[in-house]
Amino acid sequence: MGGPGCGKGTQCKNMATKYGFCHVGLGQLLWQETQRGTRRGQKICDLMLQGLLVPTGVILDMISDHMLSCPESRGFLIDSFRRELRQAKEFERIVGRAPNIVIVFDCSMETMVQRALHRGQVERRADDCESAIRQRLETHYTLCEPILTFYQQKNLLRNIDPGRGSSRRHFCQVLLCHRKSAVRWERAGGQLSPPPGTCTQLRGGALPEVRRLGRGSPGFQSRLTAHVTQACCPGGLTESCR
């Protein structure tokens, strides 16, 4: 979690490379959809240019589709999602479990504005103009506090400061958070959800059927839960995982 330009996308790519995770970058997924010229893409583009949030239903559909398209992943890195408390709760309801860890990139507003402006110039992204960036940051700060509290109460929250030092130093901080999560799992006797990097490979026999189901269709939730369980809970869900 973190505002636009805080560096979370870069570090997610590093983690995905190191551990063989699937990087689910919400910002990139939304941007790709706007480039397809679809009606949904145009709606998303209009909202992003205003610095407004894309509806939860649209986001959950896109993230679910992307997760289901990666049957060989050892785990999932969800980047830029959850942007409001309702999304966090709905995501856990659909997937059937909480994340192993939530890493917050705590960066100053001005640093994020300058980084996002630079990204917009390099990638030619229309949503990375200064007015849209500042609006997105205001929305982020307004909505993120309840989410941080929600995950803090679950003892899942870890903070890093990506505003100082090199990208390599920031990656070391992320790795330290990951390893502490692994130690916590081991001390719990393996009864908590295993940390990222300890997962078995997905068994994707049912994936075509799951993809054909819409998010609101009967059976979608149970099949997606089974899909993620196979990736992240070797041997099936324990009572603690449930």
Side-chain angles (χ1 to χ4, degrees):
M1 289 181 59
C6 69
K8 58 189 180 297
T10 298
Q11 300 308 333
C12 279
K13 290 175 184 176
N14 290 338
M15 287 284 282
T17 299
K18 182 173 179 64
Y19 292 107
F21 295 160
C22 171
H23 175 204
V24 185
L26 177 58
Q28 191 64 29
L29 288 178
L30 292 172
W31 181 247
Q32 289 172 355
E33 187 66 27
T34 65
Q35 299 303 294
R36 294 193 177 102
T38 62
R39 182 177 299 179
R40 183 171 74 171
Q42 185 57 54
K43 180 180 178 181
I44 290 172
C45 183
D46 293 342
L47 291 170
M48 291 172 67
L49 288 174
Q50 297 176 63
L52 302 177
L53 292 179
V54 177
T56 296
V58 174
I59 288 176
L60 288 171
D61 283 342
M62 296 178 69
I63 290 178
S64 298
D65 288 345
H66 193 74
M67 291 175 71
L68 291 168
S69 71
C70 302
E72 302 304 321
S73 175
R74 300 179 63 207
F76 300 94
L77 286 166
I78 313 295
D79 166 16
S80 302
F81 181 75
R82 304 75 173 153
R83 298 185 178 184
E84 53 183 340
L85 184 57
R86 185 164 60 94
Q87 288 181 352
K89 293 181 177 180
E90 180 69 4
F91 182 76
E92 289 191 12
R93 185 189 70 79
I94 290 175
V95 174
R97 50 164 295 175
N100 298 98
I101 185 173
V102 178
I103 301 177
V104 180
F105 288 69
D106 193 5
C107 198
S108 74
M109 178 180 282
E110 287 308 314
T111 298
M112 287 188 285
V113 169
Q114 294 307 312
R115 287 179 179 175
L117 283 173
H118 176 71
R119 179 181 66 187
Q121 293 171 353
V122 172
E123 299 180 9
R124 297 181 180 178
R125 288 177 51 163
D127 62 313
D128 274 343
C129 63
E130 185 166 353
S131 59
I133 293 168
R134 291 191 180 276
Q135 180 58 53
R136 279 153 54 199
L137 284 169
E138 290 294 340
T139 303
H140 168 73
Y141 285 124
T142 300
L143 296 176
C144 75
E145 193 62 36
I147 308 176
L148 299 181
T149 301
F150 177 70
Y151 285 123
Q152 183 65 56
Q153 292 171 346
K154 292 173 175 279
N155 196 27
L156 296 174
L157 210 61
R158 304 292 183 270
N159 286 71
I160 70 168
D161 178 8
R164 299 179 180 179
S166 65
S167 177
R168 181 178 177 82
R169 178 177 179 273
H170 303 157
F171 187 41
C172 289
Q173 294 181 59
V174 173
L175 292 179
L176 182 60
C177 289
H178 169 262
R179 288 168 185 167
K180 286 181 178 178
S181 175
V183 169
R184 175 173 171 266
W185 176 68
E186 290 172 359
R187 287 177 177 172
Q191 293 304 302
L192 297 171
S193 302
T198 63
C199 307
T200 58
Q201 286 193 338
L202 289 172
R203 297 185 293 277
L207 283 182
E209 290 185 48
V210 180
R211 288 198 191 99
R212 285 196 292 269
L213 291 173
R215 187 169 58 87
S217 303
F220 178 84
Q221 179 180 338
S222 61
R223 295 190 187 202
L224 181 59
T225 298
H227 176 74
V228 176
T229 298
Q230 288 169 350
C232 302
C233 295
L237 286 173
T238 64
E239 286 304 311
S240 297
C241 288
R242 292 184 193 281

